[in-house]
Amino acid sequence: MAQAMVKFCVCLLLLLAAAAVVAEGAAKKPKKVKCKDKKYPNCYHKDLYCPTSCLRTCVVNCASCKSVCIPPPPPPPSPPPPPPKRRGSPPPLSAPIHPHPPPPYPRPPPPPSPSTKPLPSPPPPPPPPISTTPLPSPPPPASPQSSSTGPKRVMCKNKYYSHCYLMEQYCPIACPDRCEVDCVKCSPVCNCNMPGAVCQDPRFIGGDGITFYFHGEKDRDFCIVSDSNLHINAHFIGKRNQNMKRDFTWVQSLGILFDTHQLFIGAKKTATWDDRLDRLELVFDGEPIFLPNEEGFKWQPEISPRGVSVTMMQNTNSVEIEMEGNFKIKASVVPITEKESRVHNYDITSEDCFAHLDLNFKFYSLSNNVSGVLGQTYGSTYVSRAKLGVPMPILGGEKEFASSHLFATDCAVARFRGRFPSGDDDFSDKFEYSNLSCAGRSDGHGVICKR
C-alpha cells in the first residue's frame, strides 16, 4: 500500500512538471499579427510574428510590412503643485526681508517722514536663464508680394506632347512675366522670341522664323497685317536721334478691323513708370472697355460678335485679345528703362518714358494673299527682302505700308474686304510653330529661328 502511494505521488509530480514545461513553451511562442490597413495591399492580412524581444506584445508597421514592438506607455504626468496659500495677515516685523518679489497683495508702504529718505524698493527678481540652444522657429509665411515679384509659372497645354503636358515651369530671367512653353523642347521661351513677335525698336519675327527690323517713321501709321477679313495698322511713336538718319520708333497702338468691327488697343502716354498702374487703353466699336486690375478677368461683348474676348494676363498692363478662328494677340505695355536709354542712346527724359506695346500674334485663317509688314511673312511663297547675316537686318517699304490713319485700309498692299475668302481663294497653311526653334544670337543682336 505504501509503495502504491509513493508511485502515485511520483507520477503526479511528473505530470505537474510536464504541464509547467508546456506552459513555459507556450508562453515563449511568438504571437501572430497581421496588417489590417487596406491602403497597403502588399502587406494587408499577411501573417507576421512578433520579434524575440517582445514575443507577445507587438504590432505591424504596414508601411514597412514588419512587426515592431509596442513601446511602453509613458509614465503618468506628475500632479501639478498645490496653489500657494494666501496669507491672512502680513508677516511679523521680525521676519527677514528676502530679495524676492513681494506677495500677491502687498500693503502700501507708510508715507515717509520728513526727516528720513524713503528706502529704495527691492531689486526686481533676476530673469530666468536663457537656454544656449534656442528652439528652431517655424519658417515665416510667404508674403503675397514675393509670389508676384517672382517669375511667372507657365505650362504646356497641348495634350499631344504628353512628356511636357501641364508640367509647371518658370519664365526666363529676360522675360520673368511674359513667356510660353515650347512643348517640343519642353522649355519656356520669351514671347518676344517667338514667331509673330513685334517688340522693342520694332523688331519683328516673321511667320517664316526670320528676324528683321522695320523702323517706319514716328507719328505715322503703317499696315502690318492685311488679309480679306483681318487688317491691322500700327501707330509708331519715336524720337529723332541727331546722329542718325532715322527715328527711334516703337509701336504705341493698334487699329484692328475684322468683319464689321473695330478694336483699338494702345499704351497711354506716361512720364514716370509704375508697374502698379495700368496704362492700357481698349476700345471696341467705339465703346471703351474698362477692365479691373485682376489677373484672369475675361471680358466679352454683351451682344455680338461671339468669340471675341479680352483677358487680363496680369493685374496690370498685359492682356490677351482673341477672335476665335481668326487671331490671338498678346499685348503688354512696357516703358523705355534708363538702362535701355543709356545702352542705345535713346536720350529718354523724365517727361516721357515712351510707354509702348510688346506684341505677339497668332493667326488661324490667313490666305496666301496676305500682306503687310508682318503678314506677308506668312505667305507660302514669301522670300524675305531683309538683308540677312548682318547684326540688324532692316526691311524697307515705308511708302508701301503707310496708312492715312489707324483704321484706314488705304495702304498700297491692302487686302481687307470684311469677310473670309471664298472657296476660290487660296489659304495659307495654318502655322504651327512647334517645329520652329528660336534663340538669341550669340552676338546679342536679334533672334534666330530654325525649322
Side-chain angles (χ1 to χ4, degrees):
M1 186 67 182
Q3 282 185 340
M5 287 297 295
V6 170
K7 288 181 180 182
F8 176 75
C9 291
V10 171
C11 291
L12 184 61
L13 289 174
L14 290 174
L15 288 174
L16 291 174
V21 170
V22 171
E24 184 178 359
K28 292 183 179 180
K29 183 179 179 180
K31 180 182 178 182
K32 183 191 295 185
V33 288
K34 295 182 180 180
C35 170
K36 298 181 180 180
D37 193 340
K38 294 183 179 180
K39 295 180 180 179
Y40 301 91
N42 294 333
C43 192
Y44 179 63
H45 268 246
K46 183 179 180 180
D47 291 338
L48 298 171
Y49 294 90
C50 289
T52 56
S53 57
C54 53
L55 293 173
R56 308 299 296 173
T57 57
C58 73
V59 293
V60 175
N61 183 338
C62 296
S64 61
C65 201
K66 293 182 179 180
S67 56
V68 293
C69 296
I70 302 175
S78 57
K85 296 181 180 181
R86 181 180 296 179
R87 297 180 180 180
S89 59
L93 295 177
S94 61
I97 300 175
H98 298 282
H100 293 293
Y105 301 98
R107 295 180 60 185
S113 60
S115 61
T116 61
K117 294 183 179 180
L119 294 175
S121 60
I130 301 175
S131 173
T132 57
T133 57
L135 295 175
S137 58
S143 62
Q145 293 183 352
S146 62
S147 59
S148 60
T149 57
K152 182 180 179 180
R153 290 177 289 187
V154 289
M155 294 182 292
C156 170
K157 298 181 181 180
N158 192 331
K159 294 181 179 180
Y160 293 104
Y161 299 94
S162 57
H163 69 287
C164 192
Y165 180 61
L166 295 184
M167 183 184 296
E168 192 173 83
Q169 304 193 52
Y170 291 87
C171 286
I173 298 177
C175 52
D177 51 9
R178 290 187 294 276
C179 76
E180 292 183 15
V181 173
D182 181 342
C183 296
V184 176
K185 290 187 173 182
C186 201
S187 62
V189 181
C190 296
N191 287 341
C192 285
N193 290 349
M194 301 178 66
V198 180
C199 300
Q200 302 166 7
D201 181 8
R203 186 193 74 187
F204 291 71
I205 301 181
D208 54 3
I210 295 177
T211 301
F212 63 93
Y213 290 79
F214 178 82
H215 298 298
E217 296 178 30
K218 68 174 184 176
D219 303 324
R220 295 285 304 276
D221 302 309
F222 295 92
C223 165
I224 61 173
V225 177
S226 187
D227 202 14
S228 59
N229 196 29
L230 179 63
H231 189 94
I232 303 175
N233 288 333
H235 180 74
F236 284 36
I237 57 173
K239 189 168 185 177
R240 170 66 69 174
N241 187 323
Q242 301 301 327
N243 300 324
M244 300 178 65
K245 295 181 180 180
R246 67 169 180 87
D247 298 328
F248 290 125
T249 53
W250 301 274
V251 175
Q252 182 268 337
S253 58
L254 297 179
I256 306 168
L257 296 94
F258 60 96
D259 297 336
T260 59
H261 303 283
Q262 294 183 352
L263 177 62
F264 169 86
I265 177 172
K268 298 178 182 178
K269 185 175 180 179
T270 306
T272 303
W273 184 258
D274 187 344
D275 283 327
R276 297 170 296 180
L277 301 179
D278 189 66
R279 307 304 297 164
L280 267 171
E281 185 175 4
L282 292 155
V283 180
F284 182 69
D285 287 344
E287 294 293 331
I289 300 175
F290 299 102
L291 301 176
N293 295 349
E294 179 184 342
E295 181 178 349
F297 178 85
K298 187 174 183 178
W299 173 91
Q300 291 179 299
E302 295 181 358
I303 303 176
S304 66
R306 293 182 179 179
V308 175
S309 64
V310 180
T311 304
M312 292 289 291
M313 303 304 293
Q314 300 179 46
N315 289 339
T316 58
N317 298 310
S318 186
V319 295
E320 180 180 272
I321 304 170
E322 183 172 15
M323 175 60 201
E324 291 181 5
N326 198 340
F327 64 87
K328 179 189 289 186
I329 303 172
K330 291 184 178 180
S332 298
V333 180
V334 294
I336 299 298
T337 64
E338 293 182 4
K339 181 179 179 180
E340 290 174 322
S341 178
R342 183 173 62 256
V343 170
H344 299 286
N345 295 319
Y346 290 149
D347 193 25
I348 301 298
T349 65
S350 59
E351 297 176 359
D352 191 350
C353 69
F354 282 83
H356 60 280
L357 298 177
D358 275 355
L359 301 157
N360 185 270
F361 296 87
K362 288 186 179 180
F363 305 107
Y364 304 126
S365 302
L366 294 180
S367 71
N368 274 325
N369 199 33
V370 62
S371 190
V373 178
L374 176 66
Q376 63 185 350
T377 66
Y378 289 82
S380 59
T381 60
Y382 174 75
V383 178
S384 178
R385 294 180 291 168
K387 184 178 180 180
L388 304 180
V390 296
M392 184 179 285
I394 297 176
L395 178 70
E398 283 82 356
K399 294 182 180 179
E400 182 181 1
F401 302 113
S403 296
S404 60
H405 61 83
L406 196 58
F407 287 103
T409 58
D410 56 2
C411 63
V413 296
R415 306 285 193 267
F416 185 70
R417 290 180 291 179
R419 62 177 179 84
F420 283 112
S422 63
D424 297 333
D425 293 324
D426 292 332
F427 277 88
S428 62
D429 295 333
K430 291 185 179 180
F431 282 80
E432 295 293 341
Y433 303 106
S434 58
N435 59 344
L436 279 180
S437 174
C438 298
R441 293 163 56 105
S442 59
D443 56 7
H445 297 284
V447 173
I448 296 177
C449 295
K450 298 179 180 179
R451 292 189 183 275

